[in-house]
Amino acid sequence: MTWHYEAPLTSMRRVIEQVLDAPALWAECPVFAELDMATADAVLQEAARFASEVLQPLNSPGDLAGCARAADGSVSTPSGFRAAYQAFVQGGWPALPCDPAWGGQGLPLLLDAAVREMLDACNHGWNMYPDLLHGAYETLKHHGSDELKARYLHQIASGEWLAAMALTEPQAGSDLGQLRTRAEPQADGSLRVSGNKIFISGGEHDLTDNIVHLVLCRLPDAPPGTKGLSLALVPKLLPDGSRNAMFCDGIEKKMGIKASATCAMRYEGATGWLVGEPHRGLAAMFLMMNSARLHVGLQGLGHQEMAAQNAQRYAEERAQMGKPIAQHPAVRRTLQRLRTHTEAQRVLAYRAALALDLAERHRDEAVRAREKRFAALLTPIVKAFCTHHGFHGPAEALGVWGGYGYVHEYGIEQTVRDARIAMIYEGTNQIQAIDLALRKLLADGGVTALELLDGLRVDLGESPGLCALFGEARALLPRWLARAATDNALALDTADDLLHGLAFALLAWAVARLDAAGESHTAVFEREAVPEGLMHWWRVRDALER
Amino acid sequence: MTWHYEAPLTSMRRVIEQVLDAPALWAECPVFAELDMATADAVLQEAARFASEVLQPLNSPGDLAGCARAADGSVSTPSGFRAAYQAFVQGGWPALPCDPAWGGQGLPLLLDAAVREMLDACNHGWNMYPDLLHGAYETLKHHGSDELKARYLHQIASGEWLAAMALTEPQAGSDLGQLRTRAEPQADGSLRVSGNKIFISGGEHDLTDNIVHLVLCRLPDAPPGTKGLSLALVPKLLPDGSRNAMFCDGIEKKMGIKASATCAMRYEGATGWLVGEPHRGLAAMFLMMNSARLHVGLQGLGHQEMAAQNAQRYAEERAQMGKPIAQHPAVRRTLQRLRTHTEAQRVLAYRAALALDLAERHRDEAVRAREKRFAALLTPIVKAFCTHHGFHGPAEALGVWGGYGYVHEYGIEQTVRDARIAMIYEGTNQIQAIDLALRKLLADGGVTALELLDGLRVDLGESPGLCALFGEARALLPRWLARAATDNALALDTADDLLHGLAFALLAWAVARLDAAGESHTAVFEREAVPEGLMHWWRVRDALER
């Protein structure tokens, strides 16, 4: 009954192989042509071992210990974190989806997604450190000068040096146009960066010697607003080995992910170099946004899996009133909801990862273009929906333990606390909903969304609940598009419900696919999820008819 | 923008005076005949001052410090807690609803409810200590021998000595029939109590010298199951001043209410005395259950008020994209939902408190009988619904602060953690739903519920959403009663949705009453809450038609 992790490898394989048919699609991608399911499986098994045997045991101690900042601004992570990170680097995990030319393994983001789900499930706090590597890698790879790439890209791909993203400033939360950090060009082509940043995950720590910061800042001639932001690479250690003028002024006392150092950073004329074009820093960062937001969605998925499997085990062993509590109707409903939600969201999240792979790697340009649109559409849905349920699922699961659920040593309360942040960072879930409504649905008149829905319709079968929910989405979406195109207030007012309503419709498809692959989630989904999905569409309809 | 509390006195007055018409009803209760709204108001104002000026400033420090247990088993509460408690006793607050014959002030439970809401909002952890006094007082008053009453009741009514309820044992959570603690009768009429209890709130602490435990235990000749449980009063200090043989073996490391000492207690032949009849201990404790469950519901209400008002203030001051975030549609929706839910739940919870008063105090026996049934019906609804939203409301509100919401110093994250326990203790919310379905609805064939609904219908007005929701409840309830009477599985499967569906119907009435008193919640309720209420009834209907 002790809190632990059994990697859902059977489910992962089923989704990858049967539901998404990924191996056949890999065969259509030249760079993945050699990849087969056996190789993929070996990767998953190895990751499962690392996550459950190395990371999971560090999770509760890491939460209790938290990080500590010394008077000199140095930050120490919980005991065991550095050794686990070294093992992670030696195992080649950071490089999994990176280009072999830069020391990577060139594997699909789909497999990387499954690996991340396991790492997040076992130790969200620890995984905050390497989680930023891939985004930094992509940004530098696509926008860095050859000189910067030569100096930093191998070390970032391998994970020898960790990375940090320095965006937020105290006066500017989601409103990046308000950023003030300055960057002064120097005669030698470098920049002098000065300013204060907050909420910098892994801004300072003891896992690696060097930490490569990507800092959003303003050049002297920058226009105001987000169009005047540039991106600078600012390393903790300069190429000559000396310490750069950047300091951690404090770490936050947080609700959860206490093992992750959330730093207030001060750059005092720190030396850096421009990444990408002047004033085009946001565009450079947005490049990695789809995969970064998908990664956050995977955190929500991991938390649900962890909660669902531990609640199930506990409920089967714990007896009350003469039988295991798993047989009590209210507990049974909770367990079924958790399991069906987790499995269906896995399909959705992995589908988004597959879209990212196909958008880059498929041999057929038309497929690449279509999947790029699908990826852009699915990303905010996966981020917001999977993290919403990534918090609410475990929060409900906690009740399965009764009073024990409220006690730290049983594990679930930490998951609830850790999971809440994923609804906020990397763009709050409300920002995801606005992104979906304005930049994904209205921007192309709904073409991509309707194409996606119509393509999935064939898999639905005859289940009345699935069809009713899917049909409601399909019927209301064009009406919403017509109205929202000229009614911005309506678009914003309905954005949250629209996102959740669409997500539930996509889950209906996922459930149908899962059941076609031998599972049985339809009955639970019809009873628990369909009314909730319809509730969101009810609100949308109500707004349209007001 | 700093987290603080402005007692919602205007709202409280409106609910008490206009929505519930309480002063007119007090005039029909002989013991309250002298009470007027001016007196009530003075009590509320004084309590508001104590809660916001004394308790609220101790809330965050209390969470950070937690309780500490020394090697000798003694427990120290956070700094300032003892002084605050002494001020509380000197102010006469514990005695508010107690009988003047025992030193009480003889005020209605309705006023006590409003006071508790404020204390809970400001410092749930601190309020755990005095929260148990009234239950202990009622139990002892109705079931204690004259000798026990003479020795303990004044001190409990005044709060000079605190009380603890010792029910749970490690092997038995909600399943009280499994309790094993033994009580051996002695020649002098006392008992020797031996056993281990867990989750004993305030089992040991430094707020008062003596702590009076009420311990569920078994006499040697006890039948098995819950019908063999007796209740013993076991004080920390014996009448001769010596220390009783009871020890705190540990305190739990919890998700929240960290300032409340949750003790594992060991009784090693501790001296105690029987309260009530042998083997009738559970009946003696159940007497106080309605008010105890209402108190927990008030915790949920307090948390929602605290979250709603602080989120509102923050959102009005914090600007993003050139305007206060309160004007951004998604934030505005969150704030409106929180406010409308809080106000409507205040009506519901205070109505239950009024029912408890009228059941005891009204001059007319028919009214007493009716209100007793209403109180029994409303109690599980208030407990489960107000604590469900007491957690989910603040959890949603946290997002208004963005990343700051996740940081301790902004206040809201503690509210979220503290609030989660209220869904569990004093009977989990799933147990409340079963209680409602089996012991409240089916036990009288739905007579009380239908009488309540039909009596409220006249207040609803013409709002289509309110009427649709209320009408759905009124139409489905008889169908549910007919089926559930012979189909226990259906009754249990639908219990959660039935409770929430009924609660939303009652909230529709509350909203109509509030708006008749000059507020305007109907539009928000129709948009946000009606679809959610209908979702629950959809699930009930679905189960009936399966």
Side-chain angles (χ1 to χ4, degrees), chain A residues 368-418:
Chain A
R368 289 203 300 276
R370 183 195 69 202
E371 293 293 324
K372 191 173 175 185
R373 292 185 292 115
F374 284 174
L377 179 74
L378 289 172
T379 296
I381 298 177
V382 168
K383 195 281 182 184
F385 193 82
C386 294
T387 63
H388 180 90
H389 291 275
F391 171 72
H392 287 93
E396 183 186 352
L398 188 150
V400 170
W401 279 262
Y404 295 107
Y406 204 62
V407 175
H408 177 78
E409 64 181 290
Y410 288 83
I412 184 69
E413 71 89 22
Q414 184 187 344
T415 296
V416 176
R417 287 186 290 107
D418 287 352

Side-chain angles (χ1 to χ4, degrees), chain A residues 178-366:
Chain A
Q178 300 298 316
L179 297 186
R180 292 182 198 145
T181 294
R182 288 163 293 118
E184 302 279 343
Q186 305 297 302
D188 64 358
S190 69
L191 300 168
R192 290 237 164 188
V193 177
S194 300
N196 290 286
K197 298 279 182 180
I198 57 168
F199 297 157
I200 311 308
S201 296
E204 177 60 23
H205 56 72
D206 56 3
L207 297 186
T208 52
D209 297 334
N210 203 357
I211 305 171
V212 179
H213 286 224
L214 293 175
V215 183
L216 271 184
C217 52
R218 286 182 191 283
L219 292 165
D221 56 343
T226 56
K227 296 212 160 71
L229 296 173
S230 299
L231 191 63
L233 184 153
V234 185
K236 177 178 171 184
L237 297 182
L238 291 166
D240 66 3
S242 65
R243 185 73 163 70
N244 208 347
M246 51 204 281
F247 309 95
C248 171
D249 281 341
I251 55 177
E252 304 291 348
K253 195 169 228 350
K254 306 188 301 297
M255 183 183 195
I257 56 165
K258 290 172 188 260
S260 168
T262 307
C263 301
M265 293 298 303
R266 174 167 41 93
Y267 305 89
E268 287 207 326
T271 300
W273 295 273
L274 193 66
V275 177
E277 303 292 308
H279 317 319
R280 300 274 302 150
L282 215 50
M285 296 205 92
F286 271 29
L287 174 82
M288 61 186 193
M289 213 167 59
N290 277 345
S291 62
R293 291 182 167 182
L294 170 62
H295 295 162
V296 176
L298 291 164
Q299 293 169 351
L301 176 61
H303 287 309
Q304 286 175 83
E305 173 62 46
M306 197 70 182
Q309 64 171 251
N310 279 285
Q312 183 74 40
R313 286 192 291 266
Y314 183 82
E316 284 168 7
E317 298 226 352
R318 171 82 172 169
Q320 294 263 283
M321 325 289 172
K323 58 184 178 186
I325 59 170
Q327 294 175 27
H328 290 272
V331 174
R332 189 179 60 221
R333 276 187 63 184
T334 294
L335 296 173
Q336 289 175 338
R337 253 197 304 259
L338 286 167
R339 180 45 62 199
T340 289
H341 255 292
T342 305
E343 297 297 333
Q345 285 176 48
R346 182 172 289 125
V347 173
L348 193 63
Y350 287 17
R351 178 65 184 83
L354 178 65
L356 287 171
D357 282 326
L358 298 177
E360 285 285 312
R361 309 298 195 178
H362 198 275
R363 64 187 177 209
D364 182 341
E365 192 182 336

